[in-house]
């Protein structure tokens, strides 16, 4: 079947900056072009004069930023004749890989840590029809196996060690610059396997060195702030760690694959890595939802937790323009969301008096 609008996503928009040819068979679900939302209530709430924007990547087709890299990785895999893709995942990569494989008509195999995947991600991956292997181990164990299996089976790895993933993900930086017409002062990101901070830094560097760019963009780059969960913080430890643990299961990673690239982003940008407790991460998630109406998953809120911390400590000065990437949609992890809400739904009789009493009680 001929798809009339097959080029709907970021490959079409940024083709001239991506390794694709005119006849490359683009596998797209309309990813990218996600909203950059300026926070209007939180700056007042914390009493700071700042412009904070969130890049809401949870509004990609499968609900996370992974779709940016996956459209590229699967497009290139298909172009190269691959019939199957494989990844290890904490949940979002597996959902994205499964969706793009379904779209391309190829097979997806995913390795996930048993019992440590948010419910929405598991549901998605099952529906898209991937073969799910739950391993008795963590993401790092899965990653090791995936790197080994390619010598034994005809499968293409679509984890972010696949360079096409980084190529696709760098477009988020392009979108931010295109929309702001300048480069933010600070860019805050959650860091797990460290592919995304690598990709953003590549994107910012490319735009800064492009002759096509606006004068405000040339030679201008943000400070990159990488934030981790305290129980899964190899960049803060300065070494790989075993047995990472955090409620933010998406970033429950102790052996990040893009280790050197992430350190380069930190050093070249004059940035830093910091970590936050699970409670700080969940508080930021709740604050964003309750103050701004934006529901991201726990791992994503790590970027906001970091930005708020560094604002209050004065590491990020007032007057700054800050972008926080919200990597995934809050609907991915309903269990964690419901557990942390102290105010539960109330049950009342189905009559006018009961509804009236409940409302007047609260006003
Ligand atoms: N936020 C979310 C929601 C994620 O799913 C991930 C990674 C990250 C942040 C960290 O990004 O790995 O590029 O540093 N999730 C991967 C997965 C590991 O399998 O879905 P990173």
């Amino acid at each position: 079947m001929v798809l009339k609008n097959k080029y709907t996503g970021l490959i079409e928009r940024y083709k001239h900056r991506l390794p694709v040819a005119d006849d490359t068979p683009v596998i797209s679900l309309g990813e990218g072009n996600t909203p950059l939302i300026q926070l209007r209530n939180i700056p007042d709430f914390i009493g700071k004069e700042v412009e904070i924007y969130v890049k809401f990547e949870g509004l990609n087709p499968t609900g996370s930023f992974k779709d940016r890299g996956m459209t590229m990785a699967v497009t290139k895999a298909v172009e190269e004749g691959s019939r199957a893709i494989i990844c290890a995942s904490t949940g979002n990569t597996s959902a994205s890989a499964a969706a793009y494989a379904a779209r391309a008509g190829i097979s997806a195999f995913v390795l996930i840590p048993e019992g440590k995947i948010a419910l929405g991600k598991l549901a998605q991956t099952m529906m898209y029809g991937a073969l799910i292997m739950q391993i008795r181990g963590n993401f790092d164990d899965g990653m090791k196996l995936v790197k080994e299996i390619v010598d034994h089976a005809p499968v293409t790895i679509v984890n972010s060690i696949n360079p096409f993933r980084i190529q696709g993900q760098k477009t988020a930086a392009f979108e931010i610059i295109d929309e702001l017409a300048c480069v933010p002062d600070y860019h805050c990101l959650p860091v797990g396997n460290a592919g995304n901070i690598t990709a953003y830094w590549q994107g910012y560097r490319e735009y800064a060195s492009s002759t096509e760019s606006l004068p405000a963009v040339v030679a201008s780059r943000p400070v990159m702030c990488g934030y981790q969960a305290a129980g899964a913080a190899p960049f803060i430890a300065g070494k790989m760690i075993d047995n990472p643990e955090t409620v933010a299961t998406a970033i429950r990673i102790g052996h990040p694959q893009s280790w050197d690239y992430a350190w380069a982003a930190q050093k070249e940008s004059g940035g830093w890595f910091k970590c936050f407790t699970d409670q700080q991460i969940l508080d930021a998630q709740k604050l964003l939802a309750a103050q701004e109406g934006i529901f991201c998953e726990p791992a994503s809120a790590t970027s906001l937790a970091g930005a708020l911390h560094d604002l209050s400590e004065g590491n990020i000065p007032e007057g700054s323009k800050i972008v926080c990437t919200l990597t995934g949609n809050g609907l991915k992890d309903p269990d964690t969301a419901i557990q942390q809400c102290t105010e539960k739904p109330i049950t009342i009789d189905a009559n006018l008096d009961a509804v009236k009493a409940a409302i007047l009680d609260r006003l």
Side-chain angles (χ1 to χ4, degrees):
M1 188 184 66
V2 176
L3 295 179
K4 287 208 176 117
N5 73 338
K6 62 183 170 171
Y7 302 124
T8 54
L10 59 86
I11 295 181
E12 174 65 2
R13 180 165 176 195
Y14 292 110
K15 207 170 206 163
H16 57 300
R17 295 184 181 275
L18 293 168
V20 287
D22 283 343
D23 59 352
T24 299
V26 175
I27 308 297
S28 170
L29 288 166
E31 56 291 312
N33 197 21
T34 53
L36 185 67
I37 308 167
Q38 185 172 1
L39 301 188
R40 53 180 295 172
N41 300 321
I42 289 180
D44 283 347
F45 184 81
I46 60 170
K48 297 280 181 193
E49 279 283 331
V50 278
E51 276 177 51
I52 312 179
Y53 298 85
V54 290
K55 180 72 171 156
F56 196 9
E57 291 288 277
L59 295 182
N60 273 299
T62 77
S64 86
F65 73 97
K66 304 290 180 179
D67 296 342
R68 287 184 188 275
M70 208 54 74
T71 184
M72 270 304 301
V74 174
T75 290
K76 295 304 280 188
V78 169
E79 185 175 45
E80 287 159 11
S82 176
R83 299 296 310 152
I85 58 174
I86 190 164
C87 64
S89 181
T90 56
N92 280 325
T93 302
S94 56
S96 187
Y100 284 83
R103 182 77 167 165
I106 63 174
S107 304
F109 299 96
V110 310
L111 273 71
I112 57 175
E114 186 186 26
K116 294 292 183 181
I117 296 293
L119 199 62
K121 303 174 188 179
L122 190 61
Q124 289 179 287
T125 312
M126 291 168 73
M127 284 298 284
Y128 296 135
L131 178 76
I132 302 175
M133 292 172 255
Q134 304 197 85
I135 57 167
R136 295 185 195 91
N138 61 24
F139 170 85
D140 302 312
D141 299 318
M143 197 64 241
K144 191 162 170 284
L145 285 164
V146 163
K147 289 202 279 188
E148 284 169 16
I149 193 66
V150 289
D151 293 333
H152 304 273
V155 287
T156 303
I157 299 182
V158 293
N159 281 104
S160 54
I161 56 172
N162 177 328
F164 298 121
R165 279 278 311 277
I166 304 296
Q167 287 290 324
Q169 284 171 215
K170 76 182 180 186
T171 59
F174 299 165
E175 288 178 15
I176 290 166
I177 295 172
D178 285 347
E179 192 156 344
L180 293 177
C182 67
V183 175
D185 301 311
Y186 295 85
H187 192 116
C188 304
L189 279 165
V191 175
N193 213 20
N196 213 23
I197 194 167
T198 301
Y200 270 96
W201 185 235
Q202 185 166 327
Y204 282 125
R205 276 191 354 249
E206 278 186 29
Y207 249 35
S209 60
S210 165
T211 47
E212 296 162 43
S213 293
L214 295 167
V217 171
V218 174
S220 172
R221 302 157 174 191
V223 172
M224 301 299 289
C225 310
Y227 300 118
Q228 301 208 282
F235 285 101
I236 288 78
K239 60 177 169 56
M240 304 291 178
I241 61 157
D242 297 328
N243 307 316
E245 207 49 80
T246 169
V247 70
T249 52
I251 50 173
R252 188 173 166 271
I253 295 172
H255 289 243
Q257 297 296 310
S258 296
W259 179 256
D260 293 339
Y261 292 125
W263 280 113
Q266 177 265 321
K267 290 200 181 82
E268 291 168 21
S269 74
W272 52 76
F273 292 111
K274 287 183 189 161
C275 64
F276 298 95
T277 63
D278 283 358
Q279 194 55 53
Q280 287 173 302
I281 292 170
L282 294 178
D283 287 350
Q285 184 196 21
K286 187 80 203 297
L287 184 76
L288 185 66
Q291 290 286 327
E292 304 281 356
I294 301 169
F295 185 24
C296 67
E297 67 169 285
S300 311
T302 312
S303 61
L304 182 66
L308 297 182
H309 168 86
D310 281 320
L311 272 166
S312 76
E313 297 284 303
N315 304 321
I316 297 180
E318 289 203 51
S320 298
K321 215 183 273 279
I322 306 165
V323 173
C324 296
T325 297
L326 301 179
T327 44
N329 198 302
L331 295 172
K332 295 267 191 179
D333 192 352
D335 296 332
T336 307
I338 289 172
Q339 269 166 31
Q340 67 163 305
C341 289
T342 43
E343 192 164 341
K344 301 291 180 204
I346 56 169
T347 303
I348 57 165
D349 290 332
N351 64 52
L352 196 58
D353 282 347
V355 177
K356 189 171 135 196
I359 292 172
L360 294 182
D361 196 39
R362 285 211 60 176
L363 290 177

